């Protein structure tokens, strides 16, 4: 066992970057001496809504300067609602050939005609928001922004489900903030207590594995293990663990991280049947990669009353630096029901906690408790995601809604799958038709050492490999000898020795180089195997016909 095995994969990443000769603080793809396929920061981004953001900013500045035109240069005021749509149309005509203007005009039209909102009110909220001249009001999310993002999530997360329920949103600083706030408020509101059991759908994003064991929470974790042989779906025998009434909550990432596979319809239906028997079960579904999938359906749609939705804009829109995400809960949800059913002692404690922000603290919804808890309650009046961030979130949402042909999504899928194909061809193994599987998203790929060893050199070599080679040691060798950085699969709860490859943050030629590095390292292990097992000698470069 390597002493580094206990490190979080994101901490081990820094060790691997140093080993590969890179700078931890400047580990960007343009550093060609090192190929960092460890972190999932995409090297693509959505340009149209960004052009729209900057053009909207120019219009908002014109509106601001117009308000205080009598004052010296450099002093502006708030935009004015009256005739703002007319002034926007004039601005758009003046700049009709400028990138972003056609998108903004289409966005205003969509908001008015498809979402049913007042165009002038929308433009005013966007102008005030992009100027950042007022506190976020309401603190949970700007009112029209919430309606538009709600529309976007219905389009992306609900699929063809017969879904009519209303849900509330809390705009947050990306998926990581959402995780932090949710864990904290579940504990603060006595929905999870030290010693309680929660279930985690594994493999899963590492912080979900780590946070429950921290001294703040001290939760008992039950793993719900996906089966690699079933294309990373959860077997019914694993999902049946959720029938245990002592399990308070089930957390999962869907599509999964790192397998990048969405729950199939059979799994969604089976989980819904369990929830019908366990109406008290709390579910948190982190669906950041759902927008990369075709016809994605979230547990938020299938088990609406029980499910908290986490969604981040970081990956799909190439917006990790923007820190944009939302938490969603249905208006009728099990969280509020369970808070109302707490014993007198706990309800009294919560009444005291929230009495400064609500005349009737008992009626405060869980999602509004999330907002208050995010600012230690006392600073609730200044809570909320910055308004320019909310404006960019809205523009990203409208861009996806207007793109009815899914041309952006199709382009990203094609880009990622070409990279995957280059990686596996260079290793020397086929994808066995997995590209046609509509549950596979391919944002990440797991390089399973046992599978690669068996498919390239046979079962006996694979057994020798996993019994003689530590996965962390292999990753260190890749970093040291080939300047390639991958993350350890075990850090995400993958049960086989493996490495996680992000297919989002390098170019196609780079993945070919990574595949060649893996193959070269495997051939060196073949030499070691031949030395130790002379009666089972293998030739380098043998490729299985499987």
């Amino acid at each position: 066992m390597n002493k580094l095995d206990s490190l979080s994969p994101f901490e081990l990443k820094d060790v691997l970057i140093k080993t590969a000769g890179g700078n931890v603080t400047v580990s960007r793809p343009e550093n060609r001496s090192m190929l960092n396929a460890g972190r999932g920061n995409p090297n693509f981004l959505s340009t149209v809504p960004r052009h729209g953001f900057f053009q909207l900013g120019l219009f908002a500045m014109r509106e601001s300067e117009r308000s205080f035109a009598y004052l010296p240069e450099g002093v502006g005021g708030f935009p004015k609602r009256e005739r703002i749509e007319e002034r926007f149309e004039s601005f758009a005509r003046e700049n009709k050939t400028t990138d972003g203007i056609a998108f903004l005009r289409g966005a205003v039209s969509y908001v008015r005609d498809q979402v049913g909102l007042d165009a002038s009110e929308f433009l005013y909220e966007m102008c005030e928001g992009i100027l950042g001249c007022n506190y976020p009001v309401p603190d949970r999310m700007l009112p029209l922004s919430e309606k538009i993002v709600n529309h976007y999530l219905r389009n992306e997360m609900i699929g063809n489900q017969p879904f009519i329920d209303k849900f509330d949103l809390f705009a947050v600083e990306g998926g990581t903030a959402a995780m932090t706030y949710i864990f904290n408020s579940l504990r603060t509101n006595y929905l999870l207590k030290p010693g309680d059991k929660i279930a985690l759908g594994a493999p899963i994003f590492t912080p979900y594995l780590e946070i429950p064991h921290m001294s703040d929470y001290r939760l008992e974790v039950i793993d719900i293990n996906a089966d690699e042989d079933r294309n990373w779906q959860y077997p019914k025998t694993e999902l049946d663990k959720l029938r245990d009434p002592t399990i308070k909550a089930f957390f999962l990432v869907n599509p999964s991280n790192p397998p990048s596979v969405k729950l199939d319809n059979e799994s969604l239906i089976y989980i819904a049947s369990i929830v019908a028997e366990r109406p008290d079960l709390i579910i948190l579904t982190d669906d950041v990669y759902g927008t990369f999938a075709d016809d994605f359906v979230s547990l938020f749609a299938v088990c609406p009353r029980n499910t908290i939705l986490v969604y981040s804009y970081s990956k799909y829109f190439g917006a990790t630096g923007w820190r944009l995400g939302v938490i969603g809960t249905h208006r009728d949800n099990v969280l509020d029901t369970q808070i109302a059913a707490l014993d007198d002692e706990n309800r009294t404690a919560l009444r005291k906690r929230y009495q400064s922000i609500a005349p009737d603290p008992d009626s405060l919804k869980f999602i509004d408790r999330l907002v208050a808890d995010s600012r230690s309650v006392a600073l609730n009046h200044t809570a909320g995601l910055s308004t320019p961030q909310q404006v960019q979130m809205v523009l990203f949402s409208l861009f996806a809604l207007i793109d009815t042909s899914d041309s952006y999504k199709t382009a990203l899928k094609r880009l990622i799958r070409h990279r995957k194909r280059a990686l596996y061809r260079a290793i020397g193994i086929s994808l066995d038709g997995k590209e046609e599987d509509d549950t596979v998203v391919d944002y990440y790929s797991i390089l399973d050492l046992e599978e690669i060893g068996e498919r390239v050199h046979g079962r006996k070599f694979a057994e020798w490999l996993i019994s003689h080679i530590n996965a962390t040691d292999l990753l260190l060798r890749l970093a040291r000898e080939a300047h390639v950085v991958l993350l350890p699969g075990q850090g995400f709860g993958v049960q086989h020795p493996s490495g996680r490859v992000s297919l989002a943050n390098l170019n196609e030629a780079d993945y070919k180089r990574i595949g060649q590095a893996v193959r070269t390292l495997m051939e060196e292990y073949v030499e070691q195997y031949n030395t130790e097992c002379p009666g089972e000698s293998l030739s380098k470069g043998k490729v299985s016909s499987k």
Side-chain angles (χ1 to χ4, degrees):
M1 179 176 178
N2 191 299
K3 65 181 181 180
L4 299 176
D5 287 347
S6 61
L7 283 181
S8 160
F10 299 101
E11 302 306 321
L12 179 60
K13 167 184 61 68
D14 293 341
V15 175
L16 295 171
I17 288 172
K18 289 179 180 178
T19 303
N23 185 334
V24 174
T25 60
V26 192
S27 57
R28 298 196 175 96
E30 59 265 27
N31 180 0
R32 299 328 305 171
S33 65
M34 177 186 65
L35 296 179
N36 181 4
R39 200 166 189 181
N41 196 115
N43 68 349
F44 51 78
L45 54 86
S46 177
T47 59
V48 173
R50 285 175 166 89
H51 278 303
F53 181 88
F54 292 117
Q55 291 304 315
L56 179 63
L58 292 175
F59 173 67
M61 285 302 302
R62 178 186 288 191
E63 288 293 291
S64 173
E65 292 163 349
R66 175 180 174 275
S67 295
F68 281 1
Y70 61 90
L71 289 177
E73 185 176 353
V75 180
F78 283 21
K80 304 292 184 184
R81 283 184 174 85
E82 186 180 2
R83 300 179 69 182
I84 191 171
E85 186 177 3
E86 180 181 325
R87 293 191 297 277
F88 170 76
E89 283 300 324
S90 176
F91 173 83
R93 284 193 298 272
E94 291 171 21
N95 299 279
K96 62 183 179 180
T97 61
T98 303
D99 288 338
I101 292 297
F103 162 68
L104 284 178
R105 296 183 84 169
V108 172
S109 175
Y110 189 93
V111 165
R112 180 183 56 239
D113 301 334
Q114 303 300 319
V115 186
L117 301 178
D118 183 273
S120 294
E121 289 298 319
F122 167 70
L123 283 166
Y124 179 80
E125 182 171 297
M126 292 297 98
C127 285
E128 189 179 73
I130 205 168
L131 291 169
C133 57
N134 213 338
Y135 289 107
V137 179
D139 45 21
R140 183 159 52 76
M141 195 166 185
L142 299 176
L144 302 189
S145 298
E146 181 179 10
K147 290 180 180 178
I148 293 164
V149 173
N150 192 300
H151 206 71
Y152 166 67
L153 292 174
R154 285 177 182 270
N155 189 63
E156 295 289 348
M157 301 284 125
I158 307 303
N160 295 319
Q161 290 292 115
F163 184 90
I164 59 173
D165 296 347
K166 294 182 178 180
F167 54 90
D168 297 317
L169 298 175
F170 173 23
V172 296
E173 306 90 335
T176 52
M179 290 173 59
T180 302
Y181 297 157
I182 291 168
F183 269 102
N184 179 54
S185 288
L186 288 173
R187 177 199 60 186
T188 298
N189 287 276
Y190 306 109
L191 297 175
L192 288 179
K193 301 174 184 177
D196 280 350
K197 289 181 184 178
I198 65 167
L200 296 179
I204 194 168
F205 183 45
T206 308
Y208 286 107
L209 297 170
E210 297 174 339
I211 292 173
H213 298 291
M214 293 181 172
S215 59
D216 290 350
Y217 301 101
R218 304 192 305 279
L219 300 169
E220 181 181 344
V221 173
I222 306 298
D223 290 332
I224 308 295
N225 293 305
D227 185 350
E228 183 176 4
D229 292 334
R230 297 185 56 197
N231 196 26
W232 297 106
Q233 297 298 324
Y234 301 112
K236 290 181 179 179
T237 52
E238 289 291 306
L239 291 173
D240 282 339
K241 295 176 184 178
L242 298 175
R243 299 184 192 277
D244 179 355
T246 65
I247 292 177
K248 299 294 184 66
F250 175 38
F251 295 176
L252 74 159
V253 176
N254 180 33
S256 50
N257 178 3
S260 290
V261 174
K262 71 176 183 179
L263 289 175
D264 60 20
N265 288 334
E266 182 181 357
S267 298
L268 290 169
I269 293 168
Y270 197 72
I271 293 171
S273 70
I274 293 173
V275 170
E277 298 176 13
R278 288 283 323 276
D280 60 321
L281 182 66
I282 297 168
I283 298 175
L284 183 151
T285 184
D286 185 336
D287 294 352
V288 58
Y289 304 104
T291 33
F292 289 91
D294 293 323
D295 303 317
F296 179 73
V297 177
S298 170
L299 279 172
F300 189 63
V302 177
C303 306
R305 192 169 187 274
N306 297 71
T307 304
I308 305 169
L309 172 69
V310 171
Y311 178 72
S312 167
Y313 288 73
S314 296
K315 303 304 197 303
Y316 189 63
F317 296 98
T320 52
W322 263 109
R323 314 310 298 138
L324 304 178
V326 289
I327 299 170
T329 60
H330 292 266
R331 299 276 175 87
D332 176 23
N333 63 74
V334 69
L335 304 151
D336 293 337
T337 300
Q338 290 187 18
I339 290 171
L342 290 171
D343 61 34
D344 289 342
E345 180 181 358
N346 289 337
R347 290 182 67 190
T348 298
L350 291 176
R351 202 172 291 129
K352 290 179 180 179
R353 177 177 178 82
Y354 298 112
Q355 64 185 1
S356 65
I357 64 167
D360 180 15
D362 288 349
S363 65
L364 195 65
K365 295 187 292 187
F366 177 76
I367 197 165
D368 292 317
R369 293 169 190 244
L370 278 170
V371 179
D373 294 338
S374 76
R375 299 298 183 268
S376 300
V377 182
L379 293 167
N380 181 68
H381 63 289
T382 57
L385 186 68
S386 81
T387 57
Q389 286 172 285
Q390 294 193 50
V391 170
Q392 183 66 89
M393 186 187 297
V394 166
L395 295 179
F396 283 146
S397 300
L398 286 169
F399 170 68
L401 287 165
I402 292 170
D403 183 17
T404 54
S405 63
D406 281 340
S407 58
Y408 179 74
K409 180 178 292 191
T410 300
L412 295 189
K413 285 163 50 183
R414 184 170 57 249
L415 181 71
I416 288 171
R417 287 177 179 173
H418 283 180
R419 294 171 177 181
K420 183 176 183 179
R421 199 175 300 126
L423 172 68
Y424 279 84
R425 280 177 177 169
I427 294 172
I429 56 178
S430 69
L431 291 172
D432 285 346
K434 290 181 180 179
E435 290 180 297
E436 286 72 46
D437 190 327
D438 65 2
T439 66
V440 177
V441 174
D442 286 332
Y443 194 90
Y444 303 107
S445 188
I446 297 175
L447 296 183
D448 186 317
L449 301 185
E450 183 178 359
E451 179 188 16
I452 293 172
E454 180 172 5
R455 293 184 64 186
V456 177
H457 296 292
R459 183 62 199 164
K460 288 185 178 180
F461 172 75
E463 291 174 353
W464 174 88
L465 183 69
I466 61 174
S467 65
H468 286 72
I469 305 301
N470 177 278
T472 302
D473 290 337
L474 185 147
L475 296 180
L476 285 166
R477 282 196 63 184
L478 277 174
R480 182 171 54 252
E481 299 170 18
H483 309 292
V484 167
V485 176
L486 310 180
L487 294 188
Q490 69 177 14
F492 299 85
V494 179
Q495 296 180 322
H496 296 269
S498 58
R500 186 191 83 163
V501 184
S502 167
L503 295 169
N505 66 333
L506 296 171
N507 295 322
E508 188 171 329
D510 298 323
Y511 291 102
K512 180 179 179 181
R513 181 178 147 192
I514 291 171
Q516 290 169 339
V518 171
R519 185 175 181 81
T520 298
L521 192 55
M522 281 291 175
E523 290 179 346
E524 291 179 14
Y525 287 132
V526 166
E527 291 183 357
Q528 184 178 339
Y529 172 83
N530 287 340
T531 300
E532 296 182 14
C533 309
E536 302 288 344
S537 182
L538 298 171
S539 61
K540 292 192 294 183
K542 174 189 170 186
V543 179
S544 169
S545 61
K546 290 176 69 175

